[in-house]
Amino acid sequence: MTEARWRTAITDHVAHEPYLRGYRLVDLIGRYSFAEVAYLTLKGELPTPAAARMMDAMFVAVVDHGVAVPSVVADRMVISGGNPLHVGVAAGVLTFGEAHGGAIETAARILQATAAQEGDVAALARTRVAQARANKERLAGFGHRYYKERDPRTARMFEIAREVNFYGRHCALAEAMAAELKAQTGRALVLNVDGAIAAIISDMGFDWRLGKGFFIIGRVVGLVAHGFEEITRERPFRRLGAQDTAYDGPPPRALPDAEV
Ligand SMILES: CC(C)(COP(=O)(O)OP(=O)(O)OC[C@H]1O[C@@H](n2cnc3c(N)ncnc32)[C@H](O)[C@@H]1OP(=O)(O)O)[C@@H](O)C(=O)NCCC(=O)NCCS
């Protein structure tokens, strides 16, 4: 028998029935929430009630954040060009990079590598922030264009993390790094929603490479709603206004071979 080339431990079909991580999908429907089944799909096991509450809180925290962010602008612009919903949503997802949503991955990698070292979190934070400053590195998970004192989503998620015992070494380290950034740079670079999710998923035992997935799963809801709103409420072909654009190239000039 030839070896199967597409192996998976996620879903199987047995007797014409789908099974997710070994559980009959039909039995999950109506008994487990979306957040619980997302945990099962990503981690392979059903969550404890505490893990289910934490998952749900993280998805809600990132569901949408206004019309002005890169993913929603891309989503609505692409639809405005005459494309259907899924194309706009896909364009929105493609904007998720280091500055927008994608910071979860890098932040979780940094937190997991730093927390794995010996020492108390305050000392580890001091060293890691000093290293970032020496290398002119923007520390993923810190800073926000809009929130300058505190990111309210971080505060609420950490409250829940404390309640359900997922506030561990990684969360404490993330908060210590925010305090160190302020002490060493004089700037309030708040622990943003990406940094908070990075810390919480690290305390929940998730691999840092799954980080962006948490943002994608939650934010796709907002992207679908924005795409639908664009289709149903706006005229096609949006363009930027004169106040948004400026030309700063050469003034009108003659071609070199033009007659004098
Ligand atoms: C989110 C972000 C783009 C917001 O930026 P902003 O508040 O508009 O700040 P600016 O990009 O104008 O930078 C202002 C200064 O703060 C510094 N700074 C901003 N975020 C920083 C960070 N995370 N670590 C270190 N320095 C940072 C910049 O280097 C800059 O310093 P300079 O003036 O000496 O050049 C920025 O903080 C960032 O890149 N953070 C890391 C990525 C991240 O977590 N993204 C998720 C956002 S939810």
Side-chain angles (χ1 to χ4, degrees):
M1 206 170 86
T2 54
E3 196 188 331
R5 292 176 65 205
W6 288 82
R7 294 181 302 142
T8 180
I10 303 167
T11 305
D12 196 14
H13 281 82
V14 180
H16 285 274
E17 286 258 22
Y19 281 71
L20 183 69
R21 299 288 192 188
Y23 295 110
R24 199 168 159 242
L25 186 66
V26 168
D27 295 339
L28 295 169
I29 299 171
R31 280 174 65 188
Y32 288 88
S33 70
F34 178 75
E36 286 171 310
V37 174
Y39 184 98
L40 171 68
T41 309
L42 296 175
K43 227 168 186 249
E45 295 299 333
L46 281 165
T48 60
R53 175 135 192 264
M54 201 67 252
M55 286 295 278
D56 188 57
M58 290 189 288
F59 292 145
V60 172
V62 298
V63 76
D64 193 43
H65 203 236
V67 73
V69 297
S71 54
V72 175
V73 172
D75 175 11
R76 298 183 77 134
M77 269 294 194
V78 164
I79 285 174
S80 160
N83 293 292
L85 183 70
H86 71 285
V87 181
V89 171
V93 171
L94 287 176
T95 68
F96 295 159
E98 284 300 312
H100 181 34
I104 300 176
E105 246 160 63
T106 312
R109 178 170 52 75
I110 292 170
L111 290 171
Q112 289 178 19
T114 310
Q117 295 166 27
E118 273 182 31
D120 68 276
V121 291
L124 291 173
R126 198 172 313 126
T127 311
R128 188 60 183 84
V129 168
Q131 181 196 332
R133 277 172 55 73
N135 297 334
K136 299 205 178 316
E137 172 194 6
R138 272 184 186 232
L139 273 170
F142 300 90
H144 202 277
R145 182 81 24 105
Y146 185 65
Y147 300 121
K148 295 301 176 192
E149 294 304 319
R150 72 196 258 280
D151 186 329
R153 300 165 296 178
T154 296
R156 181 63 187 132
M157 279 191 292
F158 274 5
E159 237 172 59
I160 295 166
R162 280 199 166 87
E163 273 168 43
V164 297
N165 279 329
F166 278 121
Y167 187 100
R169 187 167 165 84
H170 299 93
C171 289
L173 174 64
E175 292 210 290
M177 285 174 72
E180 267 308 316
L181 271 166
K182 186 163 192 183
Q184 292 188 30
T185 67
R187 277 200 179 96
L189 292 166
V190 299
L191 179 61
N192 60 43
V193 71
D194 288 12
I197 291 176
I200 292 167
I201 64 168
S202 299
D203 277 327
M204 292 177 81
F206 280 104
D207 189 309
W208 62 266
R209 289 168 294 188
L210 264 174
K212 207 179 282 179
F214 287 83
F215 194 81
I216 296 170
I217 293 167
R219 187 55 67 89
V220 153
V221 177
L223 291 177
V224 169
H226 278 285
F228 182 69
E229 194 173 75
E230 187 68 26
I231 289 167
T232 52
R233 287 201 353 194
E234 302 296 336
R235 289 166 58 213
F237 202 105
R238 276 186 193 262
R239 46 179 298 144
L240 300 177
Q243 71 281 9
D244 299 312
T245 62
Y247 174 77
D248 61 0
R253 52 183 168 161
L255 286 166
D257 60 356
E259 284 183 31
V260 281

